[in-house]
């Protein structure tokens, strides 16, 4: 175990906001960041990879994970179940690795309750039309699913005020750079650096003992 715990960074945004590409690019560019792999009962899409995109489960298997308390949070979203496995996440945080959860709003707010020092980032595209274009453009969902996801996006936007940061995805690289800046700033918070502060204060006390002029 490292002498500091990793940070939990929760990234949300409507379907089509581009959060998936941003998170995967972020983890490529930062060796201190890893993406948590969720479990889901959603059927895999053509581009999905088991163990990388998700751990794909049946509803029964998902239910068993809930009963065994293996999930930090879980939701039913657009007719499918999604959840964050707890154990792997805890291990990574203990190793000092920053973990990104790419999850929807209800799950994000539940994570904040369990980990109040987690950092919540909400991603939006520059314009509403971009969401529609991206959802239709990826061609993986039928119109009914797209309609549900758009309705969900409109509801999710109402929760932005609960988040710590808003990132506009004008380009993936700009959004990644902004999240990197957020991570670096959060890492420097006094509350996350109590050990370094204590060490400094200890040296100050030692110096005071040796040099009486410091006490004047
Ligand atoms: P998709 O089906 O497009 O992969 O994901 C649908 C939504 O579920 C996205 O907003 C995604 O961020 C969210 N999601 C993915 N994994 C989890 C999870 O473990 N927990 C929660 N609460 N949401 C998740």
């Amino acid at each position: 175990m490292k002498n500091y715990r990793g940070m939990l960074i929760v990234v949300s945004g409507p379907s089509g906001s581009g959060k998936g590409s941003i998170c995967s690019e972020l983890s490529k560019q930062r060796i201190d960041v890893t993406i948590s792999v969720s479990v889901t009962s959603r059927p895999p899409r053509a581009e999905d990879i088991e163990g990388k995109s998700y751990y794909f489960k049946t509803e029964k298997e998902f239910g068993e994970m809930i009963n065994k308390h293996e999930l930090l949070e879980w939701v039913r979203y657009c007719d499918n179940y999604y959840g964050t496995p707890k154990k792997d996440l805890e291990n990574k945080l203990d190793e000092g690795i920053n973990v990104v959860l790419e999850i929807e709003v209800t799950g994000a707010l539940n994570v904040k309750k369990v980990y109040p020092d987690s950092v919540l980032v909400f991603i939006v595209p520059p314009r509403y039309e971009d969401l529609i274009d991206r959802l239709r453009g990826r061609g993986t969902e039928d119109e009914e699913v797209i309609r549900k996801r758009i309705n969900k996006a409109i509801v999710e936007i109402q929760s932005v005020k609960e988040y710590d940061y808003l990132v506009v995805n004008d380009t993936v690289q700009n959004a990644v750079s902004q999240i990197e800046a957020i991570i670096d700033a959060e890492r420097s918070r006094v509350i996350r650096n109590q050990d370094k502060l204590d060490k400094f204060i200890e040296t100050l006390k030692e110096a005071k003992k040796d040099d009486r002029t410091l006490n004047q």
Side-chain angles (χ1 to χ4, degrees), residues 9-203:
I9 302 130
V10 183
V11 176
S12 305
S15 276
S17 60
K19 60 186 186 300
S21 315
I22 293 168
C23 290
S24 86
E25 200 48 44
L26 175 70
S27 74
K28 278 189 209 145
Q29 294 184 19
R30 295 274 298 225
I31 53 160
D32 59 339
V33 171
T34 189
I35 313 281
S36 161
V37 180
S38 294
V39 286
T40 184
S41 66
R42 161 168 86 57
R45 297 182 190 130
E47 72 278 15
D48 281 329
I49 300 167
E50 165 69 23
K52 197 165 189 295
S53 322
Y54 286 102
Y55 296 108
F56 293 95
K57 305 279 176 195
T58 61
E59 285 198 8
K60 185 168 177 282
E61 288 167 335
F62 197 99
E64 282 163 7
M65 290 188 80
I66 296 172
N67 291 338
K68 289 189 203 151
H69 305 286
E70 290 175 5
L71 301 176
L72 169 64
E73 59 74 40
W74 63 272
V75 288
R76 188 171 162 86
Y77 176 95
C78 293
D79 304 328
N80 295 302
Y81 291 96
Y82 296 84
T84 305
K86 202 162 28 183
K87 195 159 182 286
D88 192 39
L89 173 93
E90 277 290 333
N91 290 343
K92 294 212 171 99
L93 293 176
D94 284 345
E95 286 168 30
I97 298 169
N98 300 314
V99 181
V100 171
L101 302 184
E102 188 212 317
I103 64 177
E104 54 68 64
V105 167
T106 308
L109 299 181
N110 285 336
V111 169
K112 187 81 175 176
K113 283 185 204 144
V114 182
Y115 292 94
D117 63 348
S118 56
V119 181
L120 267 52
V121 179
F122 199 90
I123 303 203
V124 286
R127 302 169 317 134
Y128 170 70
E129 288 78 8
D130 299 323
L131 283 183
I132 318 287
D133 292 349
R134 284 200 197 136
L135 271 175
R136 296 227 163 90
R138 68 187 187 194
T140 49
E141 278 96 2
D142 61 33
E143 273 303 313
E144 169 65 8
V145 174
I146 291 177
R147 194 185 53 75
K148 276 191 182 166
R149 287 183 174 235
I150 290 167
N151 283 335
K152 198 85 186 170
I154 293 165
V155 174
E156 286 195 327
I157 293 282
Q158 319 290 323
S159 298
V160 180
K161 56 185 182 304
E162 312 282 338
Y163 279 64
D164 301 304
Y165 296 95
L166 181 78
V167 168
V168 177
N169 179 16
D170 50 358
T171 69
V172 170
Q173 189 48 54
N174 279 349
V176 169
S177 301
Q178 278 188 61
I179 298 177
E180 287 199 82
I182 291 166
I183 292 173
D184 292 337
E186 285 287 334
R187 181 78 261 160
S188 299
R189 274 188 188 277
V190 171
I191 199 162
R192 295 191 208 277
N193 290 282
Q194 195 58 49
D195 54 333
K196 290 181 192 152
L197 192 58
D198 289 346
K199 217 180 250 174
F200 173 75
I201 290 169
E202 209 42 54
T203 60

